[in-house]
Amino acid sequence: MKRASLVLVFACGACATTGLPELNPADFSKVVPGKTSASEVRSILGSPSRTLPWNIGQGRTWAYPYRGEHDRRVFWVEVASDGVVRATSDSIDLDSRPYRF
């Protein structure tokens, strides 16, 4: 019994260390520019991992890292100052290990 518990603890620990949420393109398709509000984005995707200024005082860009099919990726959500999503995009996560300088 002890041995099985240790294996389970190590297995769960390995899953937790990836640090990437279980997000996928189906989740991202629910975020519609010009229609989805910031609060809806938070309820769909959760809190962003980081936020950046967008368009000098016009809003914020929210980053949602996730594990893509072959690499780590980031789904970007640009939220305008009125609280509505203005744009979304997807890119390779350049902060992940293989791409980090």
Side-chain angles (χ1 to χ4, degrees), residues 11-81:
C12 291
C15 295
T17 59
T18 63
L20 294 176
E22 295 297 321
L23 298 173
N24 61 59
D27 298 318
F28 305 141
S29 68
K30 298 173 186 173
V31 180
V32 180
K35 185 176 179 184
T36 309
S37 70
S39 61
E40 290 172 319
V41 172
R42 283 187 186 273
S43 69
I44 295 167
L45 303 178
S47 295
S49 67
R50 65 187 182 270
T51 63
L52 307 163
W54 172 64
N55 218 6
I56 312 297
Q58 297 299 311
R60 305 288 292 170
T61 299
W62 295 356
Y64 290 93
Y66 69 100
R67 186 172 303 284
E69 199 169 313
H70 301 288
D71 51 10
R72 292 184 182 195
R73 304 194 61 80
V74 177
F75 181 70
W76 300 96
V77 179
E78 295 177 3
V79 180
S81 57

